[in-house]
Amino acid sequence: TKGDVQFYAFRQQAEGTEPVYDSWDEERREHILHFDGPDFRATRTTTAFYAFRTDPVGKATEADDFKRQKVLNDCPIVRVYTWRTVKDKHTFHEAPPWMGEDIDHRLYKFFAYGKQVPDTE
């Protein structure tokens, strides 16, 4: 739920993970999480954590309408989406959207753990 830990990722690079960058967009005054170079003018960029670009186990699935997240075979991997709030800011969590949010298709999603596993935080 809102305010709780939304996902777990690696502080250090682990097999199959890539750096997820945290960039500050001065114009919009917000942080953006992304894999590759930002498609906006970032004033500073740091490595936030390491996550999977694709589902490493091939079992994380989702409902097309985002009303609920389906996870098959007790898969610990979740899709983390970029959501746009009514105040035009971003949040990062799995489906479904929180009240007043819409998915932001322009910004990249990544895969992380939905529960803590060794070496994640």
Side-chain angles (χ1 to χ4, degrees), residues 1-2 6 62-69 79-86 91-105:
T1 61
K2 206 170 180 180
Q6 300 303 313
E62 64 195 352
D64 290 336
D65 59 6
F66 294 104
K67 289 184 181 167
R68 59 191 172 85
Q69 176 86 8
R79 294 174 191 256
V80 179
Y81 294 93
T82 301
W83 302 91
R84 183 163 298 285
T85 69
V86 292
T91 59
F92 308 93
H93 58 88
E94 66 181 308
W98 296 332
M99 187 179 293
E101 288 183 328
D102 289 308
I103 193 163
D104 189 331
H105 291 284

Side-chain angles (χ1 to χ4, degrees), residues 32-68:
I32 306 292
L33 297 177
H34 57 92
F35 276 112
D36 302 310
D39 60 354
F40 55 88
R41 202 156 107 217
T43 56
R44 68 177 180 269
T45 298
T46 59
T47 301
F49 49 83
Y50 294 84
F52 302 100
R53 189 182 292 259
T54 59
D55 180 358
V57 295
K59 294 181 180 179
T61 61
E62 64 195 352
D64 290 336
D65 59 6
F66 294 104
K67 289 184 181 167
R68 59 191 172 85

